[in-house]
Amino acid sequence: MFQDKGWVLVTLITLVSPSWAAYKLQERYSWNQLDFAFPNARLKEQALASGDYIPQNGLPVGVEHFGNRLFVTVPRWRDGIPATLTYINMDRSLTGSPELIPYPDWRSNTAGDCANSITTAYRIKVDECGRLWVLDTGTVGIGNTTTNPCPYAVNVFDLTTDTRIRRYELPAVDTNPNTFIANIAVDIGKNCDDAYAYFADELGYGLIAYSWEQDKSWRFSAHSYFFPDPLRGDFNVAGINFQWGEEGIFGMSLSPIRSDGYRTLYFSPLASHRQFAVSTRILRDETRTEDSYHDFVALDERGPNSHTTSRVMSDDGIELFNLIDQNAVGCWHSSMPYSPQFHGIVDRDDVGLVFPADVKIDENKNVWVLSDRMPVFLLSDLDYSDTNFRIYTAPLATLIDNTVCDLRNNAYGPPNTVSIPKQTVLPVGPPLYTKQYRPVLPQKPQTSWASSPPPPSRTYLPANSGNVVSSISVSTNTVGPAGVEIPKAYIFNQHNGINYETSGPHLFPTLQPAQPAGQDGGLKTYVNARQSGWWHHQHQG
């Protein structure tokens, strides 16, 4: 009997030990190069001949899901991009390499037709009222090739009628000559009219708020938290070293509504390893643009090699963020302190997740991740005989299962830092890309697992197949038996000025003004966990 149990235990350990067992995201769509759904073959041939369509010049950067449509944005960084706002009809294309369909139609994607069309779109957002928010940057090109045929404009579409219901041009006072905006967050309050959008000005170092009800915007630009960290401008992705040292405020996420009726906006500069926070009570108030410095809060660093461009938070306070240096997606439960101990990795893939450019959570709590090898596209050359662009999906619960972010089974451990061990920051051997910048991507399983069974497929599995692939990590530091609800937690980080009020995983931080210097700056965490008594951790900074 004991021998049988031992055999089962060894079998389970064997199944969960290899690194390839960590794959939770399932590949839904992939492309060597992007294709578009032209009205007919003749028009496509004409576009190819004229240069209006150059397949190798398209790079997908944004993804969003709603109903039976998966939206994909393609900025006009180079010539030959026939449409910038597109979608996949998921009823017609369950998987594979589908053609991208212009949204809402071809005419609305005409570059330079400022009043009627969208010239370039980056990240987009569907709100809970069935509206698609798109910021048209009005730009063509990138870097030194950029031209601005149109002004920045907020475009909002009704997804039930596929019509544009709002276009708002950002006034000149809200931008500056360096402005570059690629990220958007949408904040719905008491009703669909009580809506605000926030735009991160990466190179102009500002944060713009827009009120749907007032049809008006204002700019926060006097805060140093919007600027890059001068020590965090060096990047290593896919074997390519480059510097993005000027990249300021970029990725943003919004907490659920707190007890005071407002949310918390979290953000990070791209050239930074640190996260910052501010209450939307401040951002919604036009009168606070110049006197709100101390209402912004600096959180801890995530650790080394933790640049991030995209983040999103679920309605129960779980933040997902891409880790572009690590070919990974990380997580943090916002009821916990923002420190590496409470950051997890939900998936990592050194081939499929090279530059996971966008991360979203949809209305059904499914996660969507788009990877695009962006640095290779911008700084070298992609191999178009290889798969370059991928869209993955998985249920949020599957991704965080048995990570430090899953408070259902594992409240405080094991530590699962997002930082890479020093010995793996610069791997020995040839880089993923040769000096000719042609992909020489490793195949899984790695040679160290040559005697192991083949890795599980990342191919998309329908929800009713019963074969969802997920990983299992073993925790030796759980609070109570698996599945036991955590009844209460109260965490006060006085140094960072954040109150965390939680009941299990359902509530989330509230922001309070930072205390004056010299007062108690320690981190005090008190946990009242059923059957475990009080657990106390104190850290003096």
Side-chain angles (χ1 to χ4, degrees), residues 332 334-338 489-491 493 498-502 509-510:
W332 166 61
S334 59
S335 66
M336 307 308 294
Y338 193 83
Y490 176 76
I491 303 169
N493 184 340
I498 296 182
N499 277 342
Y500 297 88
E501 301 170 354
T502 75
T510 57

Side-chain angles (χ1 to χ4, degrees), residues 42 87 118 163 179 224 317 332 372 396 402 449 454 459 468 519:
R42 181 179 59 84
Y87 72 96
I118 296 175
T163 57
T179 289
S224 54
W332 166 61
D372 63 9
L396 175 61
N402 285 307
W449 298 102
T459 304
V468 175
Q519 294 190 13

